[in-house]
Amino acid sequence: YDMRKYYPVTKISSLNFRINTGLALPYSSENNATLPYEKFYFAGGLNSVRAWEPRRLGPGTYAVRDQSGNISYQFEQPGELLLEGSIEYRTKIIGFIHTAGFVDFGNVWMTKIDDAREGAKINKNSIPKEIAVGIGLGLRLDFSFLIFRWDVAAKMWDPARQGTVPWNDPYKIVHNIGIGYPF
């Protein structure tokens, strides 16, 4: 389910909201049934929570750790349940040049316990603490037939860290470039 609402603020600006949810369950009577990889949900990236690299957020509080014990965002993280959204203020600067400020939130989860990924299963009591939050600014070049987008986002709440991200974290700032993406 994807819901979007656009509210004009002035002739050249608007406040935009987006909520995206989904649930995919494996169809099988086996206890260890799983979805085909391409049917899983992913969070992070240009049309998701922009403060994370594409497909690198979640699931839940699970985090891949490197040999030093630091969190690694190197691998894609699939989930069966998706909840994400965005609040974005857009305004025209001049001509075809537009800008945006945004807050993104969301995560993915598994519906069953995954022994290989501790913290990946959804727990309705801990959902608020497991929603990742990122903020950012964007630049849009809107040529009416083509939109060029550049977003810079920062992690403000990382569920894998169970707290705010330290300011010196090298993975805190993420750049996203897109062509033809309206939101």
Side-chain angles (χ1 to χ4, degrees):
Y1 179 76
D2 190 328
M3 183 183 83
R4 298 167 190 237
K5 292 287 184 184
Y6 305 94
Y7 296 101
V9 177
T10 67
K11 285 185 176 184
I12 62 167
S13 65
S14 65
L15 190 58
N16 308 307
F17 299 89
R18 178 181 63 90
I19 296 287
N20 186 18
T21 62
L23 175 64
L25 299 173
Y27 180 70
S28 176
S29 60
E30 296 178 25
N31 286 338
N32 61 351
T34 188
L35 292 168
Y37 192 75
E38 65 274 2
K39 299 296 182 184
F40 278 103
Y41 289 104
F42 296 89
L46 187 60
N47 287 329
S48 183
V49 184
R50 291 169 269 192
W52 273 259
E53 296 286 340
R55 300 175 157 221
R56 301 307 197 263
L57 173 58
T61 60
Y62 174 72
V64 175
R65 304 238 177 225
D66 63 16
Q67 294 174 345
S68 303
N70 298 319
I71 293 177
S72 171
Y73 298 101
Q74 185 177 2
F75 303 102
E76 293 183 351
Q77 296 300 327
E80 297 169 336
L81 176 68
L82 170 73
L83 172 63
E84 65 182 13
S86 181
I87 302 168
E88 187 169 296
Y89 178 77
R90 299 179 191 166
T91 189
K92 182 185 226 180
I93 297 175
I94 186 167
F96 62 87
I97 303 172
H98 301 243
T99 189
F102 56 86
V103 176
D104 296 333
F105 54 91
N107 206 338
V108 293
W109 293 269
M110 298 302 288
T111 57
K112 296 178 186 171
I113 292 175
D114 184 344
D115 294 331
R117 299 188 299 168
E118 184 180 340
K121 183 183 183 304
I122 189 161
N123 178 349
K124 68 180 180 178
N125 297 327
S126 63
I127 289 175
K129 292 188 292 185
E130 295 182 6
I131 298 289
V133 178
I135 64 169
L137 297 171
L139 183 67
R140 313 284 188 269
L141 304 179
D142 188 350
F143 299 107
S144 72
F145 62 91
L146 176 71
I147 298 172
F148 176 78
R149 213 170 108 178
W150 176 41
D151 292 325
V152 178
K155 295 172 181 71
M156 297 309 293
W157 178 264
D158 187 345
R161 295 175 187 271
Q162 287 297 299
T164 55
V165 181
W167 290 107
N168 62 354
D169 185 344
Y171 300 106
K172 184 173 178 73
I173 304 295
V174 174
H175 297 263
N176 289 292
I177 296 174
I179 297 173
Y181 294 108
F183 205 95

